[in-house]
Every structure is written in structure tokens, then in C-alpha cells.
Amino acid sequence: MTTARLFPRKLDLAHGAVDMSHGSGGKAMAQLVRELFAAAFANPYLDQGNDQAAFDVPAGRMVATTDGFVVSPLFFPGGDIGSLAVHGTVNDVAMAGARPLYLTAGFILEEGFPLADLARIVASMAAAARDAGVPVITGDTKVVERGKGDGVFITTTGIGRVPDGVAPSGDRARPGDAILVSGTMGDHGVAIMSTRENLGFETAIVSDSAALHTLVADMVAAVPGVHVLRDPTRGGLATTLNEIAHQSGVGMAIREADIPVRREVAAACELLGLDPLYAANEGKLIAICAAADAGRLLAAMRAHPLGRDAAAIGTVHEDAHRFVQMETRFGGTRIVDWLSGEQLPRIC
């Protein structure tokens, strides 16, 4: 049966809304999948129309990650939940030093959600996947009753391959290692907060959401033995460094003056009572490597567009207590501890 006979009336993407029939498994769901999701994400794997995707597995060590995205608001300066879902999952794969190969996507839609907004999110997600060169090869759609969701939630899985001789891990930081970051801290978290609270600043604060796998590829080409790679998302730089310190059983000393933070982000954090060290990032990474490799790794980072503001911010040392300490701009020292709660919920 032709598409025209099966679906004589096209989806009203301008004025329509998600309804329960779009998750029923019937004709309405088939039309939503075909005219919206399949059209946007089209690739040979997805075009087969199966409930799974069959793909060849390259030789070597594989990595997989799964992430859920519930960001509020759904649209923010520099991105939306669709592009964020791609970037966040690609980055989790890349932090293993891996080349991302495939993505899957699951959508939880709320009854009444405007199809125009859904189409905008799907188009953004598809564009991000194309730009990253990582296809969405299979997926799923569910619909919940009005009031039992929040528009749309997205769950993604990423699959990648790690090059031979590359094995970064959170338990590999060693005393004497250098700590590097790929750029300014806190951009995403403050962009979300400013949009959520309708705050107007003299300078627009834009999320740093980006896929980091090409930056990582350049980094591991320069220093295959990099010890740790991690993207400081929820909890920001401070929480992520504490996680690594506990995994590796070490202490860390960082220098406040060397941590890059945009002036407008620092000003917004001061106004809002936030600490940029705990604000989320979605297009930045932390790298820890042997001190002898730090100069070469930093140069590789700065040569890439997503690492031009990279900086060396501290060192790893022996510490049975696994403290992260910071030398302040005023010459003192303070403990940079874990968050006791959540500074800013639903940022990804």
C-alpha cells in the first residue's frame, strides 16, 4: 500500500499536538514515526524499518553508554533537548577515548505536546547527529497522559570503538599528573538558569553544548596514554574532580586564577548566588595526563576549535583523604567539596 493511501492526510506539524493514539502502535503512531522521526533521521539502518538495527562490529574494544535527558526549558540559548541528547551521549562515548559509531533514541511524549515543537526538536537532533557523523540507527516512541510528563523526555544510547593503546579511566589519575580543562566553565548551567528564570543580562550567555569526539581524537593522537578524560556535566568541575579523586585514591590541587570562566558567567553566578565550579558544562572536558605529556596535550587541545580556551589548572598528588583543594585568587587555600544537594536541577 502506498504512503498516500495509508496516510491520506499528512501530519499537521504547524497546529497539531501529540495524542494518545501516537503511542498506540497503530496507524497514527506509524504516521508519526514515518513522517517525523524516520524522515529526519533517515539512514540505511533506520530505513530498514525493523524493531532493531543490525550493524557490523569493528575489531577492538567497544564502549556503550545510556543517558536520559529531561532538561527544562526544552529550548535554550545554544541548543535544545534534541541537540543536547546527541552531544551528551557522543561525549560520554568519547570520554573513553572512543570514536562514536551509532546512537539509539527513545522518546517519551506527553499528550498535548505541540507537534511543531516536537518537529523542531527532532530536526535539531537529526542535524546534530549528522554534524557529528553518528547516525541514529533505531529508536522507540511512547506517549503518556496529559500531566504525567513534561512535554518530552529523551533517552539515548551510544556505541563506539576505542583505538588500540588508548584506555583513559577515572581510576588512572596518578600523583604528579597535570589537570587540564578544554575551556570555560559553567556556560551551560548559567544559560539554562537565565532562560528558566527569564533573566536578562547585558551579554547573552549561550550553552556550550557540543560534540567533543573530534577534539578527543586529536588529543589521543597526540597523547595516546592520557590517563583520564571526563566531561564535567551535572555538578560541574568541582564535583567531577571529586569523583575522579575518589576513583583514583588521590588528592588534587587546583588554581582558581587558572580556571577559565567567562566574565559574564562569573557575574551571573555572583548575582544568582551560584558557584561556577559547580555549574554544568555540555561541551567541555577534563583531561589528566602525565606531567611530561601536559604541554603536548594542551597544544593539541588549543589547536582544535573546541579547545582554544584550554588551560592547565592544577596537579594530582598523594592524599589519603582524597581532598580537592584550591589555591584562591587571594593566596589562600580552600577545600572544593562535593555538592551536598543539587545547585541547579534538570540541566540535561
Side-chain angles (χ1 to χ4, degrees):
M1 183 180 294
T2 65
T3 299
R5 290 185 61 190
L6 185 60
F7 311 125
R9 185 177 303 170
K10 296 184 74 66
L11 281 175
D12 183 359
L13 295 178
H15 306 100
V18 173
D19 61 45
M20 295 305 297
S21 69
H22 288 129
S24 67
K27 186 183 290 187
M29 181 174 177
Q31 183 177 21
L32 180 72
V33 170
R34 182 175 298 188
E35 294 185 10
L36 186 58
F37 295 107
F41 295 127
N43 61 71
Y45 302 97
L46 199 62
D47 293 347
Q48 295 174 18
N50 296 322
D51 285 339
Q52 71 293 117
F55 53 89
D56 294 327
V57 178
R61 192 158 52 95
M62 305 295 292
V63 297
T65 186
T66 295
D67 208 345
F69 296 87
V70 298
V71 65
S72 176
L74 298 174
F75 304 96
F76 48 84
D80 55 59
I81 191 172
S83 59
L84 182 64
V86 171
H87 295 159
T89 307
V90 164
N91 291 347
D92 284 348
V93 171
M95 293 309 110
R99 174 194 170 198
L101 298 173
Y102 308 110
L103 294 170
T104 75
F107 287 77
I108 307 297
L109 308 176
E110 183 184 12
E111 180 185 17
F113 188 67
L115 287 177
D117 287 346
L118 180 59
R120 180 181 169 191
I121 289 167
V122 171
S124 174
M125 189 172 181
R130 285 193 302 271
D131 290 345
V134 187
V136 177
I137 61 173
T138 190
D140 186 48
T141 305
K142 294 291 189 297
V143 179
V144 297
E145 295 87 347
R146 191 186 302 268
K148 294 189 177 180
D150 194 8
V152 57
F153 299 146
I154 303 174
T155 298
T156 47
T157 293
I159 299 168
R161 180 191 179 277
V162 184
D164 295 338
V166 176
S169 176
D171 62 357
R172 293 191 60 210
R174 296 292 180 264
D177 282 356
I179 304 169
L180 289 69
V181 294
S182 64
T184 55
M185 295 288 103
D187 296 7
H188 177 72
V190 175
I192 293 294
M193 174 61 88
S194 62
T195 305
R196 188 180 296 172
E197 302 300 330
N198 294 315
L199 298 174
F201 298 106
E202 290 184 4
T203 303
I205 298 174
V206 178
S207 170
D208 60 349
S209 182
L212 296 171
H213 59 303
T214 58
L215 170 61
V216 170
D218 287 355
M219 292 169 63
V220 299
V223 181
V226 60
H227 293 169
V228 182
L229 294 172
R230 189 70 63 84
D231 53 337
T233 54
R234 285 173 296 178
L237 175 67
T239 297
T240 307
L241 289 180
N242 274 281
E243 290 173 352
I244 297 168
H246 276 256
Q247 279 183 266
S248 295
V250 296
M252 296 183 180
I254 58 176
R255 302 175 295 272
E256 184 177 22
D258 292 335
I259 300 171
V261 179
R262 296 187 192 281
R263 187 176 304 162
E264 56 269 32
V265 169
C269 285
E270 185 174 357
L271 175 66
L272 299 169
L274 303 176
D275 186 335
L277 297 188
Y278 294 92
N281 312 272
E282 290 291 349
K284 305 289 166 48
L285 62 80
I286 298 166
I288 299 178
C289 67
D293 294 330
R296 190 163 69 257
L297 186 60
L298 186 60
M301 294 166 74
R302 288 177 173 171
H304 192 283
L306 293 175
R308 59 180 176 269
D309 295 322
I313 66 165
T315 56
V316 178
H317 58 260
E318 292 185 8
D319 183 357
H321 300 292
R322 307 179 185 187
F323 287 151
V324 177
Q325 302 182 63
M326 183 169 71
E327 179 185 331
T328 70
R329 295 180 185 276
F330 304 104
T333 302
R334 71 175 178 90
I335 299 293
V336 178
D337 208 350
W338 301 79
L339 274 177
S340 58
E342 188 157 20
Q343 181 172 250
L344 182 62
R346 295 189 59 184
I347 48 80
C348 64

